[in-house]
Amino acid sequence: MASHRKWSPTGTRIAGIRTPALATAALTSVALLSQTANAAPSADSKPSIEEVEKKVDDLYHQAEAATEKYNATREKTAQQRKRVDSLLDDVAQRTEKLNTARDELGSFAAAQYRTGASAPDTATLLLADNPQDYFDQTQLMSRLTSRQKVAVDDYITEQAATTKKRAEASQSLQTLTTTQSALRTSKADVQRKLAEARDLLSKLTADEKARLAAIEKKKQEAADRKAAELAQQQAAAEKKAQEAAARQQTTTGTTGTTGSSATDSSYTAKADKALAFARAQVGKPYVWGATGPGSYDCSGLTQAAWKTAGVDLPRTTWDQVNVGTTVPLSDIKPGDLVFFYDDISHVGLYVGNGMMIHAPKPGAYVREESIFYGGESIIHSVVRPA
């Protein structure tokens, strides 16, 4: 905190008044200090490489979360469009039936008129808001033949059903319009985050880019070490389990396949199919909202991989995390889904030895990478989908 003591320059004073030379020097110093305080930030105030890296990572994370929101909205839009199309088809069919019923009513009304029978005003009938009230008021129903009564009933039924379906179609169209607006907003949000990240990276000098690459390399090396540690822990646990099983077999003399082993075998067979598919996608670009075959986003890749094994996963990470059984990280097996971040905005397919195949982020390609690529703290959960 700055001192509040009054500054007292040294120098000659005459009758308590500072000499002009000293006064001028003091004023000059104050002016220079003021200019320095108001000057533009120096080069030292530029964000550090570490800060730029964190900002870019945060933006990519936000973009991925927005991508999952986009995926969810797009899926909802597709469902609503199907419903609207179905309702409009139904309305068209009912309208045709209504027209047929109206024509038949007009025919028998005209026939009654030609025979001199008391007939209703056909135009009034067909334009009536409530045909049932009209028929009741004219007491016509008691004079109609069975065939004519059927025609009247058909007309009344179809008019009510058509009116209802038209209302449903109108409401569904309104809902679809709202969802499409949300879809455009989600898309714009993704594009905005990605543009901001690209802008930050574009401003780095060659030296800064080299330093950023060195930071990324150190992170990758640390992630690989963590993956190796997990692999060693799992190998030790597996060996211990096998030894325990062998001791039990020696003691009891029992052999054969247990129910648990049969379940594991079934899961392994499915997981192998999913992993084979995922490995074949390595090198393809990450494209947000993509589900293959030329490109993928993270949840699009896991969905496509498990589909080859006969398991239908939902479209988004937020839904995929709820399908299957959650298992501890220590019990993770090849084929399991690994979810990341508190908002569950990223997912990868575990391949074993602490590694996974995933579609990382925009600008990157489907690749095999340590599940600790961003540190253990960002791992949200592990789910066995089948």
Side-chain angles (χ1 to χ4, degrees):
M1 184 179 292
S3 171
H4 293 284
R5 291 180 299 168
K6 188 174 181 180
W7 179 64
S8 300
T10 57
T12 306
R13 286 178 179 272
I14 301 176
I17 302 176
R18 193 181 310 152
T19 60
L22 290 176
T24 301
L27 289 172
T28 301
S29 298
V30 171
L32 288 173
L33 287 171
S34 176
Q35 291 174 4
T36 300
N38 295 326
S42 66
D44 293 339
S45 65
K46 183 179 179 179
S48 67
I49 293 299
E50 290 78 10
E51 290 172 334
V52 170
E53 185 216 21
K54 185 179 185 308
K55 179 65 174 176
V56 169
D57 284 348
D58 286 345
L59 285 169
Y60 278 138
H61 175 202
Q62 292 170 31
E64 197 158 30
T67 296
E68 291 304 308
K69 184 177 180 181
Y70 170 84
N71 291 339
T73 306
R74 188 171 66 174
E75 189 173 56
K76 186 184 296 183
T77 299
Q79 293 171 348
Q80 290 174 346
R81 185 175 288 112
K82 286 181 180 179
R83 173 166 173 75
V84 168
D85 290 344
S86 176
L87 285 170
L88 290 177
D89 286 344
D90 194 11
V91 167
Q93 292 172 6
R94 290 184 179 279
T95 300
E96 186 175 349
K97 289 181 180 180
L98 186 63
N99 290 338
T100 300
R102 182 183 289 113
D103 291 343
E104 190 168 357
L105 283 176
S107 296
F108 86 71
Q112 285 184 328
Y113 178 77
R114 286 195 299 272
T115 60
S118 176
D121 181 342
T122 304
T124 304
L125 163 64
L126 299 181
L127 295 176
D129 291 334
N130 190 330
Q132 182 65 63
D133 288 347
Y134 177 84
F135 279 108
D136 289 345
Q137 290 169 6
T138 60
Q139 297 180 344
L140 178 63
M141 292 299 288
S142 62
R143 299 195 300 275
L144 296 178
T145 65
S146 296
R147 178 176 171 278
Q148 291 170 342
K149 287 181 179 180
V150 170
V152 170
D153 288 340
D154 286 347
Y155 180 79
I156 294 172
T157 300
E158 287 303 324
Q159 186 187 57
T162 303
T163 300
K164 180 180 179 181
K165 288 299 179 180
R166 280 175 178 162
E168 288 180 18
S170 177
Q171 180 60 48
S172 293
L173 279 170
Q174 184 177 350
T175 301
L176 177 60
T177 301
T178 301
T179 307
Q180 288 175 325
S181 176
L183 184 65
R184 289 190 292 272
T185 299
S186 296
K187 183 175 182 178
D189 193 23
V190 175
Q191 293 173 327
R192 185 167 53 252
K193 299 298 183 186
L194 295 180
E196 191 174 347
R198 287 192 294 266
D199 183 59
L200 279 173
L201 292 173
S202 69
K203 293 178 180 178
L204 295 178
T205 64
D207 180 61
E208 288 171 334
K209 289 178 180 178
R211 287 162 57 196
L212 181 60
I215 292 173
E216 290 293 335
K217 184 179 179 181
K218 287 182 65 175
K219 285 174 61 177
Q220 182 177 343
E221 290 171 348
D224 290 343
R225 284 194 298 271
K226 286 288 293 181
E229 289 174 9
L230 176 61
Q232 291 173 355
Q233 292 168 2
Q234 288 192 310
E238 179 66 20
K239 182 180 179 181
K240 188 175 181 180
Q242 290 175 351
E243 291 173 349
R247 285 195 300 269
Q248 182 179 10
Q249 182 178 338
T250 301
T251 302
T252 62
T254 58
T255 58
T257 302
T258 65
S260 176
S261 298
T263 300
D264 289 346
S265 178
S266 174
Y267 179 74
T268 300
K270 292 179 180 179
D272 285 345
K273 291 180 180 179
L275 290 171
F277 177 88
R279 289 190 177 98
Q281 312 315 308
V282 170
K284 293 183 179 181
Y286 175 106
V287 174
W288 62 273
T291 56
S295 57
Y296 298 88
D297 62 17
C298 67
S299 55
L301 176 63
T302 51
Q303 183 188 48
W306 268 105
K307 188 174 184 178
T308 63
V311 178
D312 291 325
L313 294 180
R315 178 63 183 92
T316 70
T317 54
W318 305 320
D319 291 326
Q320 289 182 9
V321 75
N322 295 317
V323 176
T325 305
T326 301
V327 297
L329 181 61
S330 59
D331 191 36
I332 191 171
K333 293 181 179 179
D336 290 350
L337 302 177
V338 190
F339 295 90
F340 299 88
Y341 304 107
D342 290 340
D343 59 2
I344 322 176
S345 58
H346 188 66
V347 63
L349 188 67
Y350 188 66
V351 299
N353 296 323
M355 306 295 285
M356 68 177 173
I357 293 175
H358 69 148
K361 61 185 178 182
Y365 298 84
V366 175
R367 66 192 182 205
E368 185 171 320
E369 189 170 27
S370 168
I371 62 173
F372 302 102
Y373 76 100
E376 187 172 0
S377 63
I378 70 167
I379 296 177
H380 177 273
S381 57
V382 177
V383 172
R384 192 157 297 154

